[in-house]
Each structure stands twice: as structure tokens, then as C-alpha cells.
Amino acid sequence: MDPLLALRPWEAPEVTSWGRLPMNAVDRRAGALKLDGDWRFQLLPAPDAPVSDVWSSSYVPGVWTMQDTDDLPQYTNVRMPYTEFPPQSPAANPTGVYERAVDVPADWAGRRIVLQVGAAESVLLVHVDGRPAGISKDSHLAAEFDLTGLVNPGERTVVRLTVVKWSDASHIEDQDQWWHGGVTRSVLLYATDPLHLADVTVRAGRYGALRVDCRVRDTGGALPDGWYVSGELDGQLLTQDTEFDRLNDEDDRVSDFLGEARLLTTVPGVRTWSAETPELYDLTVRLHRADGTVADASRHRVGFRDVEIVGRDLLVNGERVFVRGVNRHDFHPLTGRTVSYDDMRADLVLLKRFGFNAIRTAHYPNDPTLYDLADELGFYVVDEADIESHDHAHEIADDPRYLNAFVDRVSRMVLRDKNHPSVIIWSLGNESDYGANHDAAAGWVRRHDPTRPLQYEGAAKLGWADPDLASDIACPMYAPLEDCVAHALSGEQTKPLIQCEYSHAMGNSNGTLADHWAAIESTPGLQGGFIWEFWDHGILQRVNDGRPVGRGGAGLYEGGVAAPGHRWAYGGDFGETIHDGAFIADGVVFPDRTPKPVLYEHREIAAPVRLECFKHEGIVLGNHQHFRGLDWLTAEWELSLADGGTRTAPAELPDLRPGETAAVPLPFELPEDGGEAWLTLRVTTADDEPWAPRGTVVCLPQVRLRAAPPKRSVLAVRNRCVEVDADGLLIHPLLTCAPTLSLWRAPTDNDELGGMALRWRAWGLDTPVRKVVDVRQAAGHVTVRAEYAADAGVVRHTQVFTPVEDGIHVEESAELPDALADVARVGSVFETVAGLDLMEWYGQGPWESYPDRAFGAPVGHHRVPVDELFTPYLRPQESGGRHGVRHFTLSAPDATGLTVVLDEPRQVSVTRYRAEDLTAVGHHDELVPRAGCVVHLDAAHRGLGTASCGPDTSPSYLVAPGVHRWSWTLRTL
Ligand code: GAL
Ligand code: MG
């Protein structure tokens, strides 16, 4: 039997590798043979099943679960998809056999030849021409094998990669994501001189000191005499650290087999690296033979920066920086896991544009290119090891059979990524309880890389301030804001508090994000956190046969929506019986990276320029960055008048250092009419930035210059009356459904998973029964009293219709019994005739906003086609709302239509769907838009919160029982 199979490594947690080379930070991509493309492929039912003669093909890098096999993607959050206890795997264990022939270049004769498999999920066995070459585990790190003795340069060789899907390792790769199998990153074959750089470690501090440690090896065994290394930084030669050599000599450390050398320099006036100023220098390290010829070389991009914890502050270059982070998976709706350079760049560019400065690589080392891009574009990275044993966390954390795997995974990540300035914190993994295996891994990191802090949520949760635990950061997940503030004020805090996950972005969510940041920015000890998460992991699926579309699907989606006949699949859509549904769709972007409205909220929260306040003498403007001035920005003032239009004027940004403020004169004379007036500063990039062309909006800070005057009382016109039918329902030529009371919204994911929707249904709010009690006509007014029976009591609703100049004024009140504490909304709902396809309004916008997610939607005059008001969340739910609307029109192309003026800024939504339409279906593609508009005007609308995972909205955003009053005027255009 094959010796690799005989080992049964898929059920041996002690075996993390065999024949695998040590991890290192030497980039071998340049000059390598890329073995990507179609490989011969067959899927076996189990790893020890015989390989047949029947081959199909599979694309590498890629997962077979997305490439037309019968082993389809499956989504589970916590639970394992099978019941076998660790380290066991199920007997049905899909195993992919990949084979291809490779012509080994003849000029590689005499060289060391290495195969690099970028990532394979979850156990990789390598054979070359039928002979065993190695084994590796860890689905998110590369494995290298020395093939020198196995291949003949100038000849054709057959490389076989056997990838076993389920293994002991699956139990520590139980992250909340799709399960796949395959080779998910590129495969390379490269050659080096036998005398080679085995590793290079770069340390570069903010005062310009650079130290480069090189490890040198020779495959022949003992190193040849006279080798030496040299280095060059942006053309400047580094010096050999002779003191290092002398000490090594004296201590008798010098070995014939382990070559070590250190290079040094100091860069005067160094340009430091930070997320705001990602300054990089080019370093080339060369390994020379005694005669000076170059045996090997390695290139690195160096960022000079310091990270340290002082007291309870995390400092970058001595500054307490705010961490505006997001959790990011390697995800793609067509490939599942494989992400290209362009994809990763687009991810990071988008994050930059929306004010993020940090990424947690949840929950495993991401594709190596991501870190290059983070260095280049400027992100702080929490680099997380590939360890999550969620379902069996407690059993595994102390299981000595898994000790090796924990240390292996953490140490290999550190060895790979240690030279990236972007990586500022190491993370031991996620949701794996806390045990001796963690302490072992922490010990390894602390010793090996004392230059960075370490975090692990599983340890931190045992005590945010406890110095003995394996976490230098208090990094809770979804901690209530009050608890964070209380901890910071307690006097007990010893560590920076940076939430590793907060503000769960499932569906229509992220309520109270701005409140979080108001607290973070005003409470010493709080420094930010990482939103959960970047992606909605919807897989593009054909509806007719239920299969993933795969690599060929580019162009089959746009603007967050799948093309007709397709949809974004979530858990359960591939026929799995064990799954966790739409919990996989919890990101700030749609599966095609279209931003969700929360991103505009975040952009404003992160604004580098703030309008602090408005005083009579002018406006105070502040620079809210840590390192940059304002010279990279340009701006324009916009004055939005409730009763007029918008005026603009050029703005001069003052020369402010980080943290400084200055008063600037008011750019406009306010008109005498006394109406509400708002001033917005439209801040854009002054030049092309690597992540944004010139003119890209950076933020839209705003101040109110004048409040709305008190409303005048409504004057009824004589000789006109309002018509209602026998049920007291308004008759109006533009309305197909008269205004009635609405107490219900299509539950958001937060409403469902937080238990609110259950309560609302139990109260009967989804199917209210309206009963007219009384219809009275008097002095031109019509008063309609109705009752809505809910199981928790009766809601009394009154509407008074008054004819006014070209329209109807409606005064409403609703009285909610005390038992109806915390309903979704109280307001009016009506429907219009077809054809009113444009909405124009004065209020917050233009994007979707809700009471607890309205910080980033400036007040102004907005116009959006009705079809574009709705946000296509994967699982249909309440969406499309606009907060703080003062008045709006709905019009047809011929300018006919209606206008509504509200008594106060109100939550309004205009969509093509009734709440019941949205509630009835599970996917966006099942919705059938109505021809007219469904209009909601809310006296009160509940906040969104984040209760699908974490805290609900705060009490101030709840809808209270008691009497609600609102009024509005409907006119025909
Ligand atoms: C966290 C976990 C994430 C994800 C999230 C909910 O507990 O670390 O992986 O499951 O909750 O979406
Ligand atoms: Mg988990």
C-alpha cells in the first residue's frame, strides 16, 4: 500500500506534515513555473478508495465543490456537518485526486527544485511519479516540498495532489463559512541554487532602524566557505552586523549547517509607515558565494513603524490610533474560496473608500497577496491563525494530540507574515475555548516575535484585564457598548479594548454603529473594533438545477442582484439538511461586492474631516486623522434649504495637523425666509490616491444652520370635501390602497433571530384585523375611528381628513396598549397607482437609513428612481427606508403625481413591496414587484440593532406604547 495512505494522516492530529519544508518569508513567485489551469481529476468516495482510469478535469486553484461534481457546498456555523467525534472523520469522505504532467526545465539541472501548493483543503498528500513526496495540513497556508531527488530536469514528471476533505484537521477548521474541498491557491514549481536563503526576517522601526536577519542553507548539507549576504534598501547598501557575527563566534553558535547573518542600516529622516501613510521601501537581500557571485536573492517591501502597548493604549508610531476594522474571509461567489489579485485589490480599495483602516483575517491566514496589498494601500491587520474548533472547542483546547497542530498553525503563520508592516497583531485563532494548546502557541509567538502584541478572544473573555492570559488585547466579540464603557471607566482596565467582532451586518442591520463610535472616541481605553463581517457569502447558483455557476459566471450579477434564473445561495440551498440558513449572509457588501447602505454610515463615522459645531461666528472644522494633514483633500460647501434648492460654494480647507481644529467663516448668507437650512462639506480626494481617483467622495460632514420654524396650523378650504367609503377608507384618484395603520415590518434578520418577530407574530401584528368604529363628517372634516385587534390588546386609530388647498391634510393618532411595548413601527401605509417611478425628497439620504443608522445620510434634496430605493438583501426583509424625511414627491415622467408634506422629519419608505410580500419569500429573486408604490409614513420606527448576533438596539430607538400622533398633507402635482 502507498505509505502516505497507510499512515491514514486524515485521522492523526499529531501528524501535521511529513516531508514539508519549514515556512519562510522568501517570496518565490517571480521566476516560478505556475501550475495553475486544468488538472486531471477524479473524486473518490474515500481517501483509501482505489483510483480509477476515469478522469475528468478540475481547475486549479479552485474547489471541486463549485466545479460540477456531486459534492456540493454546505454551510454550517458552529456544528460540524457530521457527528464523528474528533479526531474521527466520516467514512464517506470525498477525496479529490489531481494529476498533471510537468516538464521540468533542463536548465534546472543541479538546482534545488521545490513544489509549492498554495493551499489545499483539508489534507494534502503529494506524490511525484508515484513516489511519496509529502503531507501537509492547514487549509490556508502554503506547503513546500523539496523535489530535487524526485524529478529529473529536462524530463516530464507527473505530480499528483490527493486532497482529503474531512480529517482531524476539519475539527479545528470549523469556521462559520461554507465547507469546500480542493486546491484553493496557486501551485508553483521553482528552482534555487543549492545554496539558498531559507528565510529573511525584517525589522524596521519608526526611527529608521532596519535589521535584516538571514538564514542560509545548502541542500548539500554543510555550507560552503566564504558565503556572505548583502542588502540594498532603495539603492542604499546595508552594512554587515559584525558584532552579531563576533558574538555568534564567541558563543560557539556558528554551525557548518545553519548560516545566519544580520544586516543593518539606519535611514535618516525615514518616511514612516501607517495605514494613513503606507510608505514602503524596496529591500533586496542577496546571498553571495565566496567569489561574490549571487546564489540567491529575495525582495521585500519594508515599512518602518512601531507597534506597542503602553498602559491601556495600542500605539502605532507612538499614536493611539482608532481601529476601524472589518473581518474579512477569502471569499468569491463564483470560486468559493479562491480570490485573485484583482479581487483582493478591489476589496481593499472599497474598504479604503468607506473609511476602514483595519482588517482581521477571519479566521485564518488569508491569501498572501492580501498582505502585500494591505502594506501598499494602508491597513492594520490582525493576522489570525487557522484554528477554530467551535463545535468541540472544550475537548480540543487541552487535547495533547492537537498540541502540535496549534503550535504548527500559529508559528507557520508568523513565519510567513512577519515582515509585513500591516500586520500589527497576531491572533491565535477563533472560538476554540482556551487551553494549554493555546498557551503553547502563545509561548512560541511571544518568544519568536516580541515586536507585536498577541490576541485571542477565547482567552480575553476569561478576564479583560487579566495579565496572565494569552491575550494582550481585551478583544471581546459583540460586547454590549455599556459593558465596554463601564470597563474603561472602572479603573481596572489594563489592556486596550478593541472588539474582535462587533456590529453584526446580517441583512438590514448595524443599528447604533454611530453610538458605538461616539463612545469609542470619547472614552479613553476604547480603541475600536472589527465589524462582522465584510462579505455576504452568497454563492451564485442556477435556479433550475440548483448547481453553483462556478468560474464562468462573471457578468451574471450586477448591483448586488443575480441575473434572472440565478440567485445568491445560502445555507440549505444545495439540498443540505444540516445547515444554518442565511446566517452566512452577514456582510457589509453583497456577494458581488456591491456596498450595502451601512457602508455610507461607516464612511461618515470614519470621516477625516469633521464639522465640530456651528457658532455665530462660523464653523469649527477638525482634522480627525492620526498622521496626515488635509492637503490630500479638497472640498465644496453645499447649502440645502428646505424650501429652496441647493447652493454650492468652493471651500478652503485650513492647514491643520492631526487633532487640530480651526474656525472657518460661514460661506453663505442665509435667506431671510426662515426655513430649515443645512450646510454640508463635500470632501473629496484632491489627487489620485492609490485607492481612489481624484474627486472620490471621502465624507460629507454636515451641520444644521437653522431649524425648521414651527408649523402653521392647517386651513381647511370651503366647498370641498374629502371622500371616504363605507369603511372609512379614503378615496383618492392616485391611491389604490387607502392609508391605514401599520404596526408591522417584514422582520429583519435581527428581528427574527433576536426574537422580536416571534413576539410580534404572537401579538397578531402581522395579520391585523381592522374594524371601523365610527365615520363622521363635520365642517368639511371627516373623522374615522378604527380599531386594530391584536392578541395583546386593541389599538385605537383615528384619522381626521381635512380638505386643504390642492389636497388633503391627514391628522392621525394611534393608541397602543401597554402590552404592545416594542413594536416594529407605528404609521400609515398606502399604495399608489402605477407610473409614479421617481421619488424626490428633502430629508436624509440618498441611501437607505433607519433611526439607529442615520448618521451617514445627510439632510438634503435627493432624487432616486423608486426601483432603486429598495435594498436587495439576500433574504427579503424590511428595507428601503429613508430617515428624517420632511417632504417628498412621487412622480411620473410627465410630472404628474403626488406630494406628501410631513409634520416632522419621519421615517418613510417607498418600495414595490408590501411587508407581507417580503415576509412570504426566502430569496430576492422570488419577489414580484408591484406596479404601484407601497408607501409607509412612520410616526415611529424601531431601530435595527444587531440582535442576530449581539446587542439589540438601545432603548431610545424602541417604539413605546401609548399615544402616537402624526400628520401629513397629500397633494396632487
Ligand atoms: C462569531 C464568530 C464568527 C461568526 C459570527 C456570527 O461568533 O466568530 O465566525 O460566526 O459570530 O456571524
Ligand atoms: Mg464559530
Side-chain angles (χ1 to χ4, degrees):
M1 192 185 192
D2 177 273
L4 297 190
L5 291 173
L7 265 177
R8 298 181 71 77
W10 53 89
E11 50 190 33
E14 303 86 343
V15 178
T16 56
S17 71
W18 174 80
R20 188 177 69 190
L21 293 170
M23 183 58 93
N24 62 79
V26 182
D27 185 349
R28 299 291 183 185
R29 283 173 285 190
L33 281 185
K34 219 170 179 189
L35 304 185
D36 294 354
D38 287 321
W39 287 50
R40 277 195 299 280
F41 179 76
Q42 56 182 286
L43 191 60
L44 307 180
D48 42 9
V51 177
S52 77
D53 295 335
V54 186
W55 295 92
S56 60
S57 79
S58 193
Y59 190 84
V60 172
V63 289
W64 68 69
T65 30
M66 301 280 285
Q67 294 189 44
D68 260 332
T69 66
D70 289 329
D71 184 30
L72 292 169
Q74 178 176 5
Y75 164 57
T76 65
N77 169 14
V78 174
R79 56 192 153 163
M80 290 297 288
Y82 46 82
T83 50
E84 280 74 8
F85 201 75
Q88 303 307 307
S89 306
N93 189 355
T95 299
V97 182
Y98 295 80
E99 252 190 32
R100 67 166 279 169
V102 184
D103 292 317
V104 182
D107 60 3
W108 285 5
R111 292 172 69 78
R112 163 182 171 263
I113 299 171
V114 177
L115 176 74
Q116 184 190 80
V117 180
E121 176 148 359
S122 71
V123 182
L124 169 70
L125 314 181
V126 181
H127 292 87
V128 173
D129 293 327
R131 284 181 291 164
I135 298 176
S136 181
K137 291 180 191 170
D138 191 334
S139 299
H140 301 276
L141 282 176
E144 294 193 327
F145 306 94
D146 188 338
L147 304 190
T148 315
L150 292 173
V151 299
N152 295 318
E155 287 178 17
R156 176 164 283 202
T157 200
V158 173
V159 177
R160 174 183 287 191
L161 308 178
T162 305
V163 181
V164 185
K165 184 172 178 185
W166 305 123
S167 67
D168 54 274
S170 307
H171 291 284
I172 53 169
E173 295 183 1
D174 182 21
Q175 292 97 353
D176 177 3
Q177 60 176 343
W178 293 99
W179 293 100
H180 288 296
V183 178
T184 58
R185 294 182 192 150
S186 291
V187 180
L188 305 179
L189 191 70
Y190 66 84
T192 73
D193 196 272
L195 178 68
H196 63 277
L197 287 164
D199 200 8
V200 173
T201 303
V202 178
R203 285 192 185 158
R206 82 173 127 137
Y207 299 113
L210 174 70
R211 192 181 101 183
V212 182
D213 285 296
C214 306
R215 287 180 168 252
V216 175
R217 298 283 184 278
D218 193 297
T219 36
L223 290 160
D225 284 340
W227 65 268
Y228 65 99
V229 293
S230 70
E232 218 180 284
L233 185 81
D234 275 8
Q236 190 81 32
L237 282 183
L238 274 51
T239 45
Q240 322 279 340
D241 186 349
T242 43
E243 186 61 10
F244 173 82
D245 296 341
R246 191 180 63 75
L247 286 175
N248 272 349
D249 253 347
E250 268 175 20
D251 292 354
D252 220 10
R253 287 205 197 145
V254 176
S255 141
D256 289 345
F257 298 92
L258 310 181
E260 290 178 331
R262 179 171 288 178
L263 300 167
L264 297 173
T265 199
T266 301
V267 179
V270 72
R271 303 183 307 275
T272 48
W273 185 97
S274 71
E276 288 173 21
T277 58
E279 296 281 356
L280 294 173
Y281 289 74
D282 283 317
L283 170 71
T284 307
V285 177
R286 295 191 180 89
L287 167 62
H288 303 263
R289 302 181 190 92
D291 64 1
T293 53
V294 176
D296 197 5
S298 175
R299 284 185 213 301
H300 304 265
R301 303 196 78 191
V302 179
F304 289 81
R305 61 109 187 88
D306 287 338
V307 185
E308 64 201 311
I309 292 176
V310 176
R312 55 181 183 172
D313 295 328
L314 174 75
L315 307 182
V316 173
N317 299 338
E319 283 293 317
R320 175 178 173 260
V321 294
F322 287 120
V323 176
R324 304 181 186 279
V326 76
N327 281 279
R328 181 189 171 283
H329 274 279
D330 279 342
F331 168 79
H332 193 278
L334 301 180
T335 64
R337 261 319 175 243
T338 302
V339 282
S340 66
Y341 173 88
D342 290 344
D343 285 324
M344 282 180 271
R345 192 163 216 289
D347 291 356
L348 299 201
V349 159
L350 183 125
L351 286 171
K352 276 304 252 201
R353 288 192 194 173
F354 285 98
F356 290 87
N357 69 0
I359 293 169
R360 173 170 173 243
T361 67
H363 297 299
Y364 41 79
N366 285 184
D367 188 289
T369 301
L370 184 100
Y371 303 77
D372 297 338
L373 287 164
D375 292 346
E376 186 184 315
L377 294 169
F379 284 93
Y380 304 120
V381 173
V382 172
D383 201 3
E384 188 148 286
D386 186 14
I387 301 173
E388 174 162 347
S389 56
H390 208 155
D391 203 6
H392 297 289
H394 186 58
E395 297 94 312
I396 289 178
D398 282 297
D399 185 336
R401 292 172 300 174
Y402 276 96
L403 169 64
N404 190 19
F406 275 54
V407 178
D408 190 61
R409 285 162 185 253
V410 172
S411 64
R412 294 181 76 234
M413 167 183 77
V414 171
L415 288 168
R416 186 190 75 162
D417 295 334
K418 59 189 175 229
N419 294 340
H420 289 284
S422 55
V423 175
I424 62 163
I425 297 171
W426 302 116
S427 162
L428 297 180
N430 189 54
E431 298 187 319
S432 304
D433 205 339
Y434 178 37
N437 294 344
H438 290 103
D439 280 342
W444 192 94
V445 183
R446 290 198 198 287
R447 174 70 181 223
H448 190 82
D449 180 21
T451 73
R452 290 175 178 92
L454 177 76
Q455 75 175 49
Y456 176 52
E457 184 267 344
K461 81 166 159 229
L462 300 183
W464 290 358
D466 188 336
D468 295 333
L469 302 172
S471 193
D472 302 327
I473 314 273
C475 52
M477 44 174 78
Y478 313 107
L481 180 58
E482 317 79 83
D483 294 6
C484 297
V485 172
H487 179 65
L489 300 179
S490 67
E492 313 275 299
Q493 188 181 6
T494 58
K495 305 177 183 183
L497 202 163
I498 303 170
Q499 294 218 51
C500 71
E501 293 176 29
Y502 80 110
S503 197
H504 194 248
M506 183 178 185
N508 191 359
S509 185
N510 305 99
T512 73
L513 191 59
D515 304 275
H516 267 82
W517 276 94
I520 291 166
E521 293 194 1
S522 60
T523 313
L526 304 188
Q527 264 189 271
F530 296 81
I531 289 180
W532 186 266
E533 66 173 307
F534 183 58
W535 288 111
D536 265 2
H537 302 226
I539 289 179
L540 189 71
Q541 181 187 38
R542 281 190 297 270
V543 175
N544 60 6
D545 63 3
R547 302 193 72 92
V549 174
R551 291 178 66 237
L556 287 175
Y557 44 76
E558 204 191 336
V561 179
H566 299 80
R567 67 176 179 182
W568 300 126
Y570 52 73
D573 288 342
F574 292 107
E576 326 94 282
T577 47
I578 300 176
H579 66 83
D580 288 297
F583 205 62
I584 192 71
D586 55 0
V588 294
V589 298
F590 286 95
D592 65 350
R593 206 183 293 106
T594 296
K596 288 187 178 174
V598 58
L599 283 182
Y600 297 93
E601 181 84 348
H602 189 270
R603 185 174 75 184
E604 210 49 50
I605 289 170
V609 182
R610 312 272 173 96
L611 299 183
E612 305 274 323
C613 58
F614 166 61
K615 296 197 189 124
H616 286 296
E617 64 280 12
I619 292 150
V620 177
L621 189 149
N623 175 357
H624 273 254
Q625 300 167 100
H626 297 295
F627 302 104
R628 271 184 127 175
L630 300 184
D631 46 332
W632 64 286
L633 298 166
T634 188
E636 188 181 55
W637 294 110
E638 269 177 21
L639 178 67
S640 305
L641 302 165
D643 307 316
T646 306
R647 296 187 209 161
T648 59
E652 189 77 33
L653 288 176
D655 184 12
L656 294 178
R657 278 178 307 192
E660 285 183 347
T661 58
V664 293
L666 192 59
F668 298 99
E669 290 270 327
L670 280 186
E672 299 289 319
D673 66 5
E676 188 179 356
W678 287 80
L679 181 69
T680 311
L681 188 65
R682 170 174 287 271
V683 181
T684 54
T685 48
D687 294 303
D688 289 347
E689 292 284 325
W691 48 271
R694 176 168 174 238
T696 303
V697 174
V698 173
C699 55
L700 301 165
Q702 187 173 56
V703 280
R704 191 176 68 185
L705 296 184
R706 193 162 61 199
K711 287 274 179 255
R712 271 167 295 175
S713 55
V714 171
L715 287 182
V717 288
R718 289 171 194 279
N719 311 326
R720 278 219 357 252
C721 49
V722 176
E723 259 192 280
V724 297
D725 67 12
D727 286 328
L729 295 171
L730 179 71
I731 298 174
H732 189 284
L734 290 178
L735 304 190
T736 56
C737 280
T740 53
L741 179 69
S742 172
L743 300 167
W744 166 252
R745 69 182 177 200
T748 62
D749 291 312
N750 291 327
D751 295 340
E752 290 288 8
L753 296 173
M756 288 77 84
L758 199 70
R759 218 162 47 224
W760 297 337
R761 287 194 185 95
W763 290 342
L765 299 183
D766 54 336
T767 48
V769 181
R770 175 179 180 273
K771 197 177 89 200
V772 206
V773 177
D774 185 28
V775 180
R776 272 185 215 185
Q777 305 245 5
H781 305 286
V782 180
T783 303
V784 179
R785 285 181 223 284
E787 284 181 358
Y788 289 75
D791 290 353
V794 167
V795 179
R796 277 182 248 286
H797 179 221
T798 306
Q799 290 172 313
V800 181
F801 298 103
T802 306
V804 292
E805 204 62 57
D806 1 301
I808 299 167
H809 182 71
V810 192
E811 299 264 349
E812 304 198 52
S813 71
E815 190 184 340
L816 275 64
D818 284 349
L820 287 187
D822 187 14
V823 300
R825 61 157 40 114
V826 177
S828 327
V829 59
F830 60 84
E831 289 176 29
T832 74
V833 295
L836 308 185
D837 295 339
L838 179 68
M839 177 166 169
E840 291 168 275
W841 75 98
Y842 183 69
Q844 293 191 247
W847 29 81
E848 181 191 273
S849 53
Y850 281 83
D852 60 353
R853 204 190 67 218
F855 182 79
V859 177
H861 294 279
H862 304 289
R863 54 187 278 145
V864 176
V866 171
D867 288 332
E868 292 169 26
L869 288 165
F870 186 74
T871 310
Y873 295 110
L874 267 58
R875 196 190 64 77
Q877 53 197 279
E878 162 63 33
S879 114
R882 298 297 186 278
H883 192 62
V885 176
R886 280 78 165 159
H887 53 78
F888 65 94
T889 66
L890 296 174
S891 60
D894 65 1
T896 59
L898 57 82
T899 179
V900 171
V901 179
L902 293 143
D903 55 344
E904 302 182 7
R906 299 284 185 189
Q907 182 78 21
V908 168
S909 81
V910 178
T911 69
R912 302 288 187 204
Y913 310 105
R914 293 181 184 164
E916 71 231 42
D917 300 340
L918 301 170
T919 314
V921 299
H923 290 85
H924 181 75
D925 68 297
E926 296 163 59
L927 287 173
V928 183
R930 290 171 187 272
C933 302
V934 179
V935 181
H936 279 273
L937 318 175
D938 292 330
H941 193 107
R942 190 187 197 279
L944 299 166
T946 62
S948 53
C949 181
D952 193 2
T953 193
S954 22
S956 57
Y957 301 109
L958 298 179
V959 178
V963 180
H964 293 261
R965 291 179 208 285
W966 67 108
S967 68
W968 46 289
T969 306
L970 172 69
R971 292 199 179 85
T972 306
L973 289 176

